[in-house]
Amino acid sequence: FSTPLTVLDRSSRQNTNKDIWDLNSTLDQMDLTDIYRTLHPTKTEYTFFSSADGTYSKIDHILSHKAILNKFYKTKIIPNMLSEHNAVKI
């Protein structure tokens, strides 16, 4: 979706807007969740740096159905020195 899903997913700590709230509501209705955020509920690591704003965000998500979350036990963000995007690894 290339958008932060929670306030923890941005360095600027802006409020979550209505579009993001609606997206989260839809994901919840479909029983989908961001695996990284589920395994790291308070961690603040980012996958994107905006040089225009000078802010960091976690805009890359790997979604899973909540019923199979027990299949995932480790996630991490892998830095990429050649791009403003980092990767999420499961």
Side-chain angles (χ1 to χ4, degrees), residues 2-16 20 23-24 27 34-38 40-49 55-63 77 88:
S2 291
T3 188
L5 295 177
T6 70
V7 217
L8 286 176
D9 292 339
R10 318 172 189 213
S11 63
S12 64
R13 298 291 183 251
Q14 298 169 325
N15 289 332
T16 306
I20 295 172
L23 175 59
N24 278 315
L27 293 174
D34 177 11
I35 298 168
Y36 179 89
R37 184 54 59 213
T38 300
H40 306 284
T42 60
K43 203 169 195 178
T44 53
E45 283 190 294
Y46 306 108
T47 59
F48 179 74
F49 174 70
T55 59
Y56 293 89
S57 302
K58 184 180 160 300
I59 61 171
D60 301 288
H61 311 281
I62 299 175
L63 302 176
I77 294 178
V88 179

